[in-house]
Amino acid sequence: MLKTKQVNHFAAVVDDVQSGPFSELQNRLDEIQKNGMTALTMRSILFNKMLDLHNVPDDHFLRDESASSRLDDPSLLIEKLNDLGFYRKQAGAIH
């Protein structure tokens, strides 16, 4: 019976009290992919977002580099950004 059942969706497994936001994010990412965006495009967007968070100007040479294959562990990229004098924007005070 399993051979005839098509399984093309696996729900995200999150062992967290606040798994709702993660499930919501997973659903949104699934919808984005269904609409044609590839994982490589998402990687590039996340890479550029990280550069935005570190105040890297739009015309900087890092913007022309391809996205790191290790976005899951961005410590090397963050170290490189810090060495070049770029630091993450400080979040505003939350009261």
Side-chain angles (χ1 to χ4, degrees):
M1 177 140 178
L2 185 59
K3 290 181 182 179
T4 61
K5 185 177 180 184
Q6 191 175 28
V7 180
N8 57 6
H9 176 73
F10 296 98
V13 177
V14 180
D15 293 331
D16 192 320
V17 174
Q18 298 184 9
S19 65
F22 294 114
S23 295
E24 171 71 20
L25 179 59
Q26 182 66 48
N27 291 336
R28 291 165 76 189
L29 289 171
D30 289 344
E31 188 62 33
I32 289 169
Q33 282 187 306
K34 286 177 190 171
N35 288 327
M37 185 177 289
T38 66
L40 291 176
T41 303
M42 284 188 219
R43 178 189 304 253
S44 177
I45 291 168
L46 290 172
F47 175 72
N48 279 287
K49 187 61 178 174
M50 180 176 279
L51 297 180
D52 291 344
L53 291 172
H54 284 81
N55 300 310
V56 177
D58 290 338
D59 60 349
H60 196 273
F61 75 89
L62 287 174
R63 299 277 182 178
D64 295 330
E65 290 185 7
S66 61
S68 170
S69 62
R70 293 301 315 244
L71 288 180
D72 60 323
D73 181 18
S75 60
L76 291 176
L77 178 58
I78 291 171
E79 186 177 316
K80 181 177 181 180
L81 289 168
N82 291 342
D83 287 347
L84 291 170
F86 297 110
Y87 297 92
R88 188 172 176 150
K89 293 178 184 176
Q90 296 298 320
I94 299 175
H95 298 282

